[in-house]
Amino acid sequence: MNIPESLIKRIKESDQRITRQKETILSVLVSYKDHMLSAQEIMAKIPKSDSIDFATVYRNLKGFLDIGIVEQRVDPKGVSFFKLACDTKGGHHHHHFICLSCGKVQPIPCDIDYIQSISKEHGFEENYHTLEIFGKCKECLNKK
Amino acid sequence: MNIPESLIKRIKESDQRITRQKETILSVLVSYKDHMLSAQEIMAKIPKSDSIDFATVYRNLKGFLDIGIVEQRVDPKGVSFFKLACDTKGGHHHHHFICLSCGKVQPIPCDIDYIQSISKEHGFEENYHTLEIFGKCKECLNKK
DNA sequence: ATAGCTGCAAAGCTTTTGCAATCCA
DNA sequence: TGGATTGCAAAAGCTTTGCAGCTAT
């Protein structure tokens, strides 16, 4: 799976360098771009021939988070999951629909007016927010 | 701070017993009922005279979660925070507004029709969802 | 050349678990 | 009394850090 030029560009634009390890991690993320993977899962999907240290995986994921090309979620057990940031036009803020059956994550456009109106209604000043919907995606519903 | 009878009742109705340790933890949660506390923070707020083991705190928090009298959040570092469940009428599902300034958590009623309409729009079947809004609460805005 | 990266090993933290003793109902 | 609960200590996970050597630019 080849890595989009845009990602390479984003990395070079920051102070980060392109290394074999970063390319390996990115190619895993690109292959599973619709799914959240833990560091463990990413490691498991790296061919033994390209073996990378856990510390390097974590360090690079953090670097990717910093420049916004990767998104993170934390499950109730405190384990982090990562995926390539959804490329909605312009990298805009969006919400997530997560399929409980296949694990696919799909971006949903954000209705900011709605969020701000309920905030105002309660006297809040909204800075940021998250909305995640869990359930079954179109494909999994059809499979039944 | 005294513990509401309703909580004691809920615990007795499950298979759990009332112990000095549970009462101590609950009284901390009651005192800070609008704020999320980590296990560490809960421990720190327990008088030395009532000293409880960490394992006991975790075990009881888990027990409280099981019967729904406590809510949990996990921060990006994987640390869990707990608070007494918001007592919206009937313990109904609700959303959260979290003040970045004072840490207060306020329940917001859920507009399930809205959630289900955007789900349907994308071909999803919604099972459950979470909406959290971060910003400044009415009180903190007035302080400025 | 030189700042950034990597692997390795060790440490850090939060959370969990085993077990014998203790306590509530 | 008997099953639930506790404290203690040890272990388990996930993630981070120090450091010496290596590498991209």
Side-chain angles (χ1 to χ4, degrees):
Chain A
M1 186 72 80
N2 53 344
I3 302 156
E5 262 315 307
S6 57
L7 293 182
I8 302 293
K9 194 173 156 225
R10 293 282 292 281
I11 294 174
K12 285 186 176 162
E13 279 170 1
S14 70
D15 280 329
Q16 300 181 43
R17 293 175 181 173
I18 302 296
T19 61
R20 171 183 74 79
Q21 290 83 343
K22 285 200 183 71
E23 289 177 329
T24 303
I25 296 167
L26 283 175
S27 71
V28 169
L29 293 176
V30 168
S31 303
Y32 292 83
K33 70 180 173 51
D34 293 329
H35 296 260
M36 312 246 33
L37 302 175
S38 64
Q40 311 273 345
E41 291 170 334
I42 292 171
M43 275 297 265
K45 295 184 188 313
I46 294 175
K48 295 127 214 75
S49 51
D50 300 329
S51 167
I52 305 180
D53 193 79
F54 256 115
T56 303
V57 172
Y58 279 112
R59 276 189 285 232
N60 283 329
L61 286 172
K62 181 168 278 184
F64 295 160
L65 282 172
D66 287 343
I67 59 175
I69 63 176
V70 156
E71 299 179 342
Q72 178 190 19
R73 296 194 75 254
V74 184
D75 79 1
K77 285 192 176 138
V79 181
S80 288
F81 290 76
F82 308 86
K83 77 182 282 298
L84 237 39
C86 301
D87 57 344
T88 52
K89 308 99 195 152
H92 268 355
H93 165 72
H94 56 270
H95 299 158
H96 287 305
F97 177 85
I98 297 130
C99 181
L100 296 170
S101 181
C102 69
K104 186 175 173 182
V105 177
Q106 217 164 305
I108 301 174
C110 166
D111 180 353
I112 186 64
D113 291 338
Y114 174 74
I115 299 292
Q116 296 201 328
S117 82
I118 57 177
S119 295
K120 188 164 289 180
E121 199 177 299
H122 293 262
F124 305 145
E125 179 185 280
E126 185 261 358
N127 282 175
Y128 61 93
H129 64 273
T130 64
L131 169 57
E132 294 182 323
I133 303 179
F134 298 82
K136 267 196 177 137
C137 71
K138 202 185 286 182
E139 291 70 33
C140 288
L141 284 172
N142 286 336
K143 269 179 200 157
K144 269 242 179 137
Chain B
M1 185 73 76
N2 52 345
I3 302 157
E5 262 315 308
S6 56
L7 292 181
I8 302 293
K9 194 174 155 224
R10 293 283 291 282
I11 293 173
K12 284 186 176 162
E13 279 170 2
S14 69
D15 279 329
Q16 300 181 45
R17 293 175 181 173
I18 302 296
T19 62
R20 171 183 73 79
Q21 291 83 343
K22 284 199 183 72
E23 290 178 327
T24 303
I25 295 168
L26 283 175
S27 71
V28 170
L29 294 176
V30 169
S31 303
Y32 293 83
K33 69 181 174 52
D34 293 328
H35 296 259
M36 312 247 32
L37 301 175
S38 65
Q40 310 274 345
E41 290 170 334
I42 291 172
M43 276 298 265
K45 295 184 187 312
I46 295 175
K48 294 128 215 70
S49 51
D50 300 327
S51 167
I52 305 180
D53 192 79
F54 257 114
T56 302
V57 172
Y58 278 111
R59 275 190 285 233
N60 283 329
L61 285 172
K62 180 168 280 185
F64 295 161
L65 282 172
D66 287 343
I67 59 175
I69 63 176
V70 156
E71 298 179 343
Q72 179 190 20
R73 295 194 76 255
V74 185
D75 79 1
K77 285 194 175 137
V79 181
S80 288
F81 290 76
F82 307 85
K83 76 183 281 298
L84 237 40
C86 300
D87 56 344
T88 52
K89 309 99 195 153
H92 268 354
H93 164 73
H94 55 270
H95 298 158
H96 287 307
F97 177 84
I98 298 129
C99 181
L100 296 170
S101 180
C102 69
K104 186 174 172 183
V105 177
Q106 217 163 306
I108 301 174
C110 167
D111 180 352
I112 186 64
D113 292 338
Y114 173 75
I115 300 291
Q116 296 201 328
S117 82
I118 57 176
S119 296
K120 188 165 289 179
E121 199 177 300
H122 293 262
F124 305 145
E125 178 186 280
E126 185 260 358
N127 282 177
Y128 61 94
H129 64 273
T130 64
L131 169 58
E132 294 182 323
I133 303 180
F134 298 83
K136 265 196 178 139
C137 72
K138 202 185 287 182
E139 290 71 33
C140 288
L141 285 171
N142 286 337
K143 270 179 199 157
K144 269 242 178 138

